[in-house]
Amino acid sequence: MPTPTEFNLHRSSRVLEITFDDGAHFNLPVEFLRVYSPSAEVQGHGPGQRVLQVGKEDVNIDKIEPVGNYAVCLFFDDEHNTGIYSWEYLYKLGQNQAELWKTYLEELEKAGHKRKVRPS
């Protein structure tokens, strides 16, 4: 499994840039990371139990803490900090970002939520 070699949090654009030792490079929006948090609060305790996160357009990361040599804990400014983002999970989020984002937007629409668009 590839290992991150660099983490750069771009606070103003709300993007976490991650480079892996295999050359993979991902720009993951903080909102995306928050709504796909690996925490039980978001993912539930089994298949099909994921909880749709709404209103996370303006969320940002306050702090990133290493967890051993296999993961990080992201401390979001909405006080969510229970997700442990393993290198494998971050890599999968990066690889599947377009598909997962599309799924999230479809879930919001189906649930009747409008995502507010932030000015660039």
Side-chain angles (χ1 to χ4, degrees), residues 6-62:
E6 195 171 349
F7 278 87
N8 288 305
L9 175 60
H10 303 280
R11 285 187 187 277
S12 60
S13 60
R14 294 180 172 96
V15 171
L16 181 61
E17 181 181 3
I18 307 173
T19 303
F20 285 84
D21 60 6
D22 69 348
H25 181 94
F26 305 114
N27 291 307
L28 303 175
V30 173
E31 178 185 2
F32 174 71
L33 290 165
R34 176 61 178 83
V35 302
Y36 279 104
S37 169
S39 72
E41 174 187 330
V42 173
Q43 296 298 326
H45 293 281
Q49 294 185 352
R50 192 164 76 81
V51 177
L52 179 62
Q53 303 296 297
V54 298
K56 302 303 177 187
E57 299 89 347
D58 293 327
V59 74
N60 214 335
I61 294 173
D62 283 337

Side-chain angles (χ1 to χ4, degrees), residues 21 73 97-98:
D21 60 6
C73 182
Q97 182 177 356

Side-chain angles (χ1 to χ4, degrees), residues 1 53 67 77 81:
M1 173 52 46
Q53 303 296 297
V67 176
D77 62 8
N81 63 3

Side-chain angles (χ1 to χ4, degrees), residues 3 12 34 50-51 67 69 83 85 96 99 110:
T3 302
S12 60
R34 176 61 178 83
R50 192 164 76 81
V51 177
V67 176
N69 60 1
Y85 292 77
N96 300 300
E99 178 183 329
K110 184 176 178 182

Side-chain angles (χ1 to χ4, degrees), residues 37-120:
S37 169
S39 72
E41 174 187 330
V42 173
Q43 296 298 326
H45 293 281
Q49 294 185 352
R50 192 164 76 81
V51 177
L52 179 62
Q53 303 296 297
V54 298
K56 302 303 177 187
E57 299 89 347
D58 293 327
V59 74
N60 214 335
I61 294 173
D62 283 337
K63 179 171 63 168
I64 301 171
E65 281 190 357
V67 176
N69 60 1
Y70 69 93
V72 290
C73 182
L74 302 179
F75 289 76
F76 295 92
D77 62 8
D78 69 351
E79 300 188 10
H80 179 75
N81 63 3
T82 57
I84 304 296
Y85 292 77
S86 69
W87 305 151
E88 181 179 4
Y89 188 69
L90 287 168
Y91 198 87
K92 285 181 180 176
L93 286 177
Q95 284 184 312
N96 300 300
Q97 182 177 356
E99 178 183 329
L100 289 169
W101 185 251
K102 181 177 181 272
T103 298
Y104 168 64
L105 294 178
E106 289 169 353
E107 289 172 343
L108 281 177
E109 185 176 329
K110 184 176 178 182
H113 293 282
K114 290 245 186 248
R115 185 179 168 275
K116 73 177 178 182
V117 179
R118 288 182 38 243
S120 304

